[in-house]
Amino acid sequence: LPVMDRATGLCDAYVKPVLKGVNFEPKETQISRKTLNPVWNEQFKCDVTDDCLLQDEPLQFRLFDYDVLSADDIIGTVYVHCNSLYEAGELLPAGGGGQKDKARRRQIQGWFPV
């Protein structure tokens, strides 16, 4: 990541996922303090009630630099198009494993350039 704090030459980065009409839990990652090479091994969960959202809107991961005294600075945005995720979804048990409890669960993982 780029240097965002001139005093330390480092960055206090965190990520917020954004998809129109969808609430994520948690709303953002933990802040990765004083590094230019942050690693987040975190998961976001959300319920998508309309699969068309996955086809029409890219999932955004917005990277920010945390600032104590001023508004957080945006570092960049990663866009992930979910068409392949929509097509590749498989049925997995969401609760007790009964036929009524089955729901689609999909996962995105990997390295994405900023």
Side-chain angles (χ1 to χ4, degrees):
L1 295 178
V3 171
M4 299 299 288
D5 182 357
R6 290 185 210 139
T8 64
L10 299 170
C11 182
D12 298 321
Y14 66 94
V15 177
K16 286 184 181 182
V18 177
L19 182 62
K20 182 179 173 183
V22 175
N23 294 318
F24 289 89
E25 185 62 38
K27 295 187 182 294
E28 59 194 42
T29 64
Q30 296 292 316
I31 298 168
S32 187
R33 296 191 183 273
K34 297 183 180 177
T35 182
L36 296 179
N37 299 300
V39 175
W40 296 280
N41 190 14
E42 300 183 39
Q43 295 182 11
F44 292 105
K45 294 183 181 181
C46 66
D47 290 324
V48 178
T49 56
D50 184 1
D51 284 345
C52 290
L53 288 173
L54 296 177
Q55 294 177 359
D56 297 338
E57 297 287 330
L59 174 60
Q60 299 177 37
F61 292 99
R62 295 182 183 169
L63 283 82
F64 291 89
D65 176 56
Y66 175 77
D67 289 322
V68 175
L69 299 176
S70 63
D72 296 348
D73 301 313
I74 187 139
I75 299 171
T77 303
V78 174
Y79 296 93
V80 178
H81 294 278
C82 299
N83 289 339
S84 60
L85 186 64
Y86 173 75
E87 295 164 2
E90 58 185 66
L91 292 176
L92 297 173
Q99 199 66 3
K100 290 183 180 180
D101 289 335
K102 290 193 176 187
R104 290 179 194 227
R105 299 172 76 197
R106 301 171 185 107
Q107 185 172 354
I108 297 172
Q109 61 185 13
W111 293 93
F112 298 93
V114 178

